[in-house]
Amino acid sequence: MYKGRQAPKSCCVWYEVLDDLQTNLFEGGQCVEEAHEALRLTFHDAIGYSYTLGGGGADGSIMQHFDVEGKFPQNDGIDSIVEIERPYALRHKVSFADMIQFAGAVGVSNCRGAPRLEFLAGRSNSSYPSPDGLLPDPSDSADKILARMLDAGFLPNELVALLASHSVAAQDTIDPTIHGSPFDTTPSEFDARFFAEMRLKGESFPGNGSHPGELQSPLPGEFRLQSDWAISGHSATACEWQSYITNHDQMMDKFRSAMSKMALLGQKRQSLTDCSMVIPTPAVALAQVVTLPAGKSNADIEPACLDQPFPTLSSDPGPQTSVPPVPSNDGDDDDAQGATNPEDPDSESGSRRK
């Protein structure tokens, strides 16, 4: 027991780590930029696993061998969260691998509407650098990404589930002139707007033009990854993608399962201890039913699932939505909160993410 909280003895240290992270990294338990980056890091560490090329999976190698893995092009911009988390692992004497998975699970728990992720502790600090070329790239084709994920043991539907993480995400390095450009209108809420908005017709680039891995987006300020668009429209994934739009619980459950599977790449469940009770329970989603951004309607949708019609969605009231950037660490955008209608001072959605 730690501070009145029940847990196996080997899990007690994680309550100390939890308090440290929530207080000093996640701004008192908020869905801030560091929470999003911590979630991203779980994938970048674990997907360094291949049935054919090797790699240790969720072994902490990205933190222990960042001198090697940090040079991989797909890890551009992830150095900050690696170096932020490293002192927490050293201070609490836990492995880098466990620290990465724990911080990701805690971080996403701060995002309203997210599932409570499983956390298993006990990974060692012994690792080797991951082979290069195992991380998918935003400019990759859907077929290439599906093949890469299958080589790590993930089926197409599980890839779609993992991409629910992009509902609380933004880009920083593809177009560095628009740091913090979110992938949907509610980057601090774990919801299905990302899946619906991905099928809106692209109209313009939010920054200074096209960059490798970027496509035109439907809304000012919103960023669209080429890979997300490709997977949302691929015959192997389009219907699964669309199914999340009207089923928030399914999205949560499948994301939880896929994340548990990813966290075990290169690990044996029987060698780890279930410390999931330490992970906070996320707040319930504000809305279970997805709506389209103001100024958009079903007429703007480009459906891709051939088996089922695209769901009929209502639209938010007001003028066309403009999506502000996720606030950066320098605090310049402290007033930005999710997506807003610029002509409606009362319009906001989501919590501020620094």
Side-chain angles (χ1 to χ4, degrees):
M1 182 183 299
Y2 177 74
K3 295 184 179 178
R5 295 177 283 195
Q6 296 287 338
K9 185 176 181 180
S10 60
C11 296
C12 290
V13 65
W14 292 105
Y15 280 120
E16 299 175 6
V17 182
L18 172 67
D19 292 343
D20 199 357
L21 287 175
Q22 294 287 59
T23 300
N24 299 305
L25 181 59
F26 298 142
E27 299 186 11
Q30 300 299 310
C31 188
V32 291
E33 181 179 16
E34 291 80 5
H36 304 176
E37 290 300 306
L39 180 59
R40 179 186 179 212
L41 185 58
T42 64
F43 178 80
H44 280 241
D45 184 47
I47 204 60
Y49 180 88
S50 166
Y51 291 139
T52 57
L53 299 176
D59 62 355
S61 65
I62 196 170
M63 189 172 289
Q64 189 163 9
H65 305 286
F66 197 72
D67 58 324
V68 177
E69 296 189 32
K71 296 176 183 177
F72 301 165
Q74 295 81 7
N75 282 330
D76 186 23
I78 209 163
D79 55 315
S80 177
I81 191 64
V82 169
E83 298 309 323
I84 287 172
E85 287 187 19
R86 186 193 307 275
Y88 288 89
L90 296 174
R91 180 159 60 249
H92 294 283
K93 300 179 181 179
V94 297
S95 71
F96 292 151
D98 279 353
M99 185 71 237
I100 290 169
Q101 295 303 320
F102 183 74
V106 173
V108 76
S109 78
N110 293 330
C111 302
R112 181 179 289 274
R116 187 187 195 194
L117 297 185
E118 180 181 54
F119 171 63
L120 305 178
R123 298 168 185 81
S124 75
N125 242 350
S126 175
S127 66
Y128 297 93
S130 166
D132 195 2
L134 298 185
L135 278 162
D137 190 271
S139 61
D140 287 343
S141 68
D143 283 333
K144 183 176 180 179
I145 294 173
L146 288 166
R148 166 75 275 271
M149 295 303 293
L150 186 61
D151 182 43
F154 288 87
L155 298 174
N157 286 359
E158 293 173 316
L159 169 59
V160 174
L162 288 173
L163 284 172
S165 62
H166 283 189
S167 71
V168 287
Q171 78 82 34
D172 293 328
T173 59
I174 295 176
D175 184 349
T177 68
I178 49 171
H179 181 99
S181 304
F183 299 148
D184 74 355
T185 51
T186 54
S188 290
E189 289 187 39
F190 189 92
D191 58 24
R193 277 182 174 258
F194 165 72
F195 292 94
E197 292 170 18
M198 184 55 59
R199 296 313 305 173
L200 288 168
K201 297 174 184 175
E203 296 181 353
S204 63
F205 295 104
N208 60 5
S210 177
H211 297 78
E214 178 187 11
L215 294 179
Q216 289 186 325
S217 68
L219 299 165
E222 187 170 293
F223 199 91
R224 175 170 285 173
L225 295 179
Q226 176 184 320
S227 53
D228 285 346
W229 172 259
I231 293 164
S232 75
H234 193 277
S235 59
T237 47
C239 292
E240 180 73 7
W241 187 283
Q242 181 176 292
S243 71
Y244 286 8
I245 296 171
T246 54
N247 196 331
H248 183 86
D249 288 342
Q250 172 183 281
M251 180 182 70
M252 286 179 30
D253 290 344
K254 291 191 175 183
F255 178 69
R256 181 191 296 110
S257 295
M259 287 293 291
S260 291
K261 182 174 180 177
M262 186 183 72
L264 282 170
L265 290 178
Q267 306 293 326
K268 294 181 179 180
R269 176 178 287 273
Q270 60 268 30
S271 300
L272 305 177
T273 301
D274 189 351
C275 296
S276 303
M277 73 292 296
V278 182
I279 305 300
T281 300
V284 176
L286 289 173
Q288 294 288 326
V289 179
V290 170
T291 56
L292 293 175
K296 299 295 181 182
S297 70
N298 269 62
D300 299 304
I301 292 291
E302 293 185 312
C305 174
L306 300 180
D307 295 338
Q308 297 289 335
F310 195 89
T312 300
L313 303 175
S314 61
S315 302
D316 295 333
Q320 177 173 300
T321 300
S322 179
V323 188
V326 171
S328 61
N329 286 330
D330 59 17
D332 290 342
D333 297 308
D334 280 348
D335 293 330
Q337 298 194 23
T340 64
N341 301 330
E343 300 176 23
D344 180 2
D346 295 324
S347 173
E348 63 181 40
S349 60
S351 304
R352 183 176 68 84
R353 186 177 84 169
K354 186 175 180 182

